[in-house]
Amino acid sequence: MKPGLQFRLNQQLTLTPQLQQAIRLLQLSQLELEAELRQIAEGNPLLEFEEDAEPAEASEPDEEFESDRFIDAAPKAAAEKETVESPPDVDDTHGDWESEPRHGEVGDYSSGGSRNNQGEDDDGFEPQNASAPSLTEHLSWQLNLSQFTPRDHAIATAIIHALDEDGYLHEGIDAVAAALPNDFHADAAEIEAVRKRLQHFDPTGVASLDLRDCLSMQLRQFAPETAFRDVALRIVEFELELVARNDSGKLARKLRCDEADVAGALGLIRSLDPRPGAALDATPVEYVAPDAYARRENGRWLVSLNPDCQPRLGLNQHYCNLIARARGEDATWMKGQLQEARWLLKSLQSRAETLQKVAEVIVRRQSAFLDYGPEAMHPLVLREVAEEVGMHESTISRVTTRKYLHTPRGTFELKHFFSSGVATEDGGSASATAIQAMLRKLIAGEDPRKPLSDQALAEDLHRRGIQVARRTVAKYREGMRIPSSSDRVRAS
């Protein structure tokens, strides 16, 4: 073949940098958006946040930049509506805004900081929210107050740091010996003696090797004259497997005692804490500031964006005025930064408008849920919302990820309102969320001595007009972390 030149004409779609930036901002959560904008503002002197702005100079700004004062990221249409800075009072039959979180609520409606001084103490000092001590810190504090020799103190410290989050020493004595210095030479008996002393620390039963060891230690803390204590010790040490089966008759026969004593001993065992270290879990509580509010007014559900979650970013007028006087490369660079700043402000406004539109569609489609609860949730998929707002499904997926809506029934992620549908006898469909709410209600009202099986639950739903198979009921039940009927009868 001879080399040659050829011309070929074709078309292809490419994402411009501006569109890529808009897509990226759309999928960010409120905290991620704030951090992203801070980083961009640090590299672009033409951008600044409203709280960082300096007082305007006396000189007249250039006419070209006069309209580029601080731009709120919220859409103009939303600005004309009544915005909600704090949950309003609702005087209707659908419930009031409550300060206590309800089922499904992931956080309160307030943003990071308060705008007033109501959170300050009477003495004028701001409250200090100290985090709770962890299990390791709590045990180390008790260890320092106890009379341990330096050698035992070192062994106890190694044991404390080897405990898991539930307070168990599942790694065993050998792991503790391996964690000690090579020249320490501590044998298993010495480490076991220190471990036994740690089991008397608060919480009782910590540093146990297994569940039997933990429950036994807690029972031994009771006074010898405690009712059913001796029977409970025998059950824990020899017949702990039968406790899970709740077979009091077989326990009575094996222990050769009355069923009343076995029932009392089982009650005493159930009062113990099988996870003593879990009470000192130091995992911090994460609060979520909603991106939008839904409230009922004059018989209609209205949606407004949270003004505290919409960053107020604007152009720095001082640098904008310098562009007209700049020359050469400086002028070119500053004009480029100005163009990028305007693109960013436009992307923020587009993000807020998209979030407003999607939230309004979701609230309109799921108004029955807001009125009557989870059992009235309608099936909803991304495609339906995308068709109504005229966008692609991927855009709807981005705008509903890690975005939260505050309602009188709690604060929910926007994705919570999407669920698949199950056919009903009348030709309609019921959402999976509504079916799960029905199952939860049926199980809550069942006879504890005769729990409903998955087949019985499916038949009950059939009588309500919902065609659902037994395996579907089992899948929903497991998704809600509800035990099977056999496990529920054992726990009753």
Side-chain angles (χ1 to χ4, degrees), residues 398-432:
R398 290 187 179 97
V399 80
T400 54
T401 301
R402 293 172 296 177
K403 312 297 189 305
Y404 297 89
L405 176 68
H406 185 79
T407 72
R409 296 191 176 275
T411 301
F412 304 90
E413 188 179 11
L414 291 180
K415 283 192 177 296
H416 173 79
F417 298 94
F418 294 90
S419 62
S420 58
V422 176
T424 58
E425 289 183 352
D426 56 2
S429 60
S431 71

Side-chain angles (χ1 to χ4, degrees), residues 115 252 342 437:
R115 296 174 180 261
R342 285 174 171 170

Side-chain angles (χ1 to χ4, degrees), residues 96-341:
D96 298 328
W97 296 86
E98 298 180 356
S99 59
E100 295 293 333
R102 297 187 178 185
H103 175 75
E105 190 164 343
V106 295
D108 66 3
Y109 51 80
S110 61
S111 58
S114 176
R115 296 174 180 261
N116 52 34
N117 297 327
Q118 296 178 356
E120 296 184 359
D121 296 335
D122 295 335
D123 56 7
F125 293 95
E126 294 184 359
Q128 301 295 326
N129 298 326
S131 59
S134 63
L135 177 63
T136 301
E137 295 171 345
H138 185 60
L139 294 177
S140 299
W141 172 73
Q142 298 178 71
L143 176 61
N144 293 331
L145 296 179
S146 303
Q147 296 181 353
F148 277 73
T149 64
R151 183 177 178 85
D152 290 347
H153 190 283
I155 297 175
T157 301
I159 294 176
I160 290 174
H161 285 84
L163 301 180
D164 62 10
E165 59 184 8
D166 292 333
Y168 284 92
L169 185 62
H170 285 308
E171 296 182 358
I173 302 298
D174 295 338
V176 176
L180 294 171
N182 294 331
D183 57 349
F184 204 87
H185 304 300
D187 57 9
E190 186 178 8
I191 298 176
E192 177 67 14
V194 176
R195 187 188 69 84
K196 290 290 186 182
R197 294 181 63 182
L198 288 178
Q199 284 187 291
H200 294 276
F201 279 19
D202 178 61
T204 305
V206 74
S208 297
L209 298 175
D210 51 29
L211 179 61
R212 178 178 283 103
D213 187 21
C214 178
L215 298 180
S216 177
M217 175 55 64
Q218 294 182 44
L219 286 172
R220 295 182 189 279
Q221 293 292 317
F222 289 103
E225 61 272 11
T226 302
F228 313 117
R229 173 181 177 270
D230 295 336
V231 179
L233 278 172
R234 293 169 58 192
I235 293 176
V236 168
E237 292 178 358
F238 303 106
E239 304 296 342
L240 186 59
E241 292 76 9
L242 295 179
V243 175
R245 303 177 186 175
N246 200 26
D247 194 346
S248 57
K250 190 172 183 179
L251 281 172
R253 291 191 298 271
K254 282 199 168 188
L255 298 177
R256 297 180 181 179
C257 57
D258 296 335
E259 289 194 21
D261 294 340
V262 172
L266 291 177
L268 184 60
I269 293 173
R270 294 192 181 99
S271 67
L272 305 178
D273 188 0
R275 301 172 57 199
L280 291 168
D281 186 6
T283 303
V285 179
E286 296 183 2
Y287 296 93
V288 172
D291 297 88
Y293 293 114
R295 66 189 185 95
R296 190 175 180 85
E297 185 176 297
N298 298 327
R300 296 177 57 191
W301 286 100
L302 302 179
V303 177
S304 60
L305 297 183
N306 184 355
D308 292 334
C309 290
Q310 307 305 318
R312 293 184 62 84
L313 193 66
L315 298 178
N316 187 305
Q317 292 302 309
H318 175 70
Y319 284 99
C320 288
N321 296 335
L322 292 178
I323 296 179
R325 298 192 292 268
R327 295 292 183 270
E329 295 182 359
D330 293 340
T332 303
W333 181 81
M334 294 187 69
K335 289 181 180 179
Q337 295 296 314
L338 176 62
Q339 187 65 35
E340 291 182 5

Side-chain angles (χ1 to χ4, degrees), residues 456-475:
L457 292 172
E459 294 174 356
D460 201 318
L461 292 176
H462 288 171
R463 289 191 289 270
R464 296 169 182 251
I466 300 176
Q467 303 297 325
V468 60
R470 182 199 61 80
R471 60 180 179 274
T472 305
V473 172
K475 182 183 70 174

Side-chain angles (χ1 to χ4, degrees), residues 306-415:
N306 184 355
D308 292 334
C309 290
Q310 307 305 318
R312 293 184 62 84
L313 193 66
L315 298 178
N316 187 305
Q317 292 302 309
H318 175 70
Y319 284 99
C320 288
N321 296 335
L322 292 178
I323 296 179
R325 298 192 292 268
R327 295 292 183 270
E329 295 182 359
D330 293 340
T332 303
W333 181 81
M334 294 187 69
K335 289 181 180 179
Q337 295 296 314
L338 176 62
Q339 187 65 35
E340 291 182 5
R342 285 174 171 170
W343 285 336
L344 177 63
L345 295 178
K346 186 177 180 180
S347 298
L348 288 176
Q349 185 171 347
S350 175
R351 177 184 186 273
E353 291 174 351
T354 304
L355 179 60
Q356 176 85 20
K357 292 178 182 178
V358 173
E360 288 177 350
V361 172
I362 291 176
V363 169
R364 184 166 58 251
R365 291 292 191 96
Q366 300 295 0
S367 59
F369 163 78
L370 299 176
D371 289 334
Y372 306 108
E375 294 184 20
M377 182 81 78
H378 290 301
L380 186 64
V381 294
L382 295 175
R383 175 179 50 79
E384 297 176 9
V385 178
E387 292 176 354
E388 187 162 346
V389 299
M391 298 179 179
H392 194 268
E393 292 183 34
S394 62
T395 304
I396 305 302
S397 177
R398 290 187 179 97
V399 80
T400 54
T401 301
R402 293 172 296 177
K403 312 297 189 305
Y404 297 89
L405 176 68
H406 185 79
T407 72
R409 296 191 176 275
T411 301
F412 304 90
E413 188 179 11
L414 291 180
K415 283 192 177 296

